[in-house]
Amino acid sequence: MFIVDDLLLKPLVTVLNVIHSMAIEEMYDTGAIRDEMKENRLLYELGEYSEEEYERRRAELEAQLDVAERAREQLSGRVEVKR
């Protein structure tokens, strides 16, 4: 019975762990958020965004970055996030 469990459940658990790690990486990708912040600043400097749009988006991105950094810090011991 244990051999069957190992053969059937171990691959499934491994796949689920990989999917979970990838989801965490995608949700809390600080690099992508920083890239969006740079893009936001560039669009503002080029005149594509008004000052209000720039400030609103900057505040949103800073909040997202704060959440992502705190989540990565809390999950760093429990979930392996590869770069």
Side-chain angles (χ1 to χ4, degrees):
M1 185 68 178
F2 292 116
I3 294 173
V4 173
D5 288 344
D6 285 344
L7 291 175
L8 294 176
L9 294 179
K10 193 168 186 167
L12 178 63
V13 170
T14 303
V15 169
L16 291 176
N17 284 336
V18 169
I19 291 171
H20 182 257
S21 295
M22 291 173 66
I24 294 296
E25 175 68 26
E26 182 75 22
M27 286 176 58
Y28 302 118
D29 187 3
T30 56
I33 297 170
R34 285 191 176 96
D35 288 345
E36 285 186 56
M37 292 173 86
K38 291 174 190 175
E39 181 181 351
N40 185 49
R41 178 69 183 183
L42 180 64
L43 290 172
Y44 170 68
E45 289 176 356
L46 292 174
E48 296 290 323
Y49 284 173
S50 67
E51 187 172 354
E52 296 86 25
E53 289 174 306
Y54 166 71
E55 290 296 331
R56 180 191 54 78
R57 184 68 178 140
R58 184 178 62 83
E60 288 175 2
L61 291 169
E62 285 176 351
Q64 286 179 6
L65 184 61
D66 184 49
V67 168
E69 287 174 343
R70 282 188 283 134
R72 281 179 158 264
E73 184 178 303
Q74 291 176 353
L75 295 172
S76 64
R78 289 184 254 163
V79 177
E80 181 180 335
V81 179
K82 297 180 181 179
R83 279 228 155 279

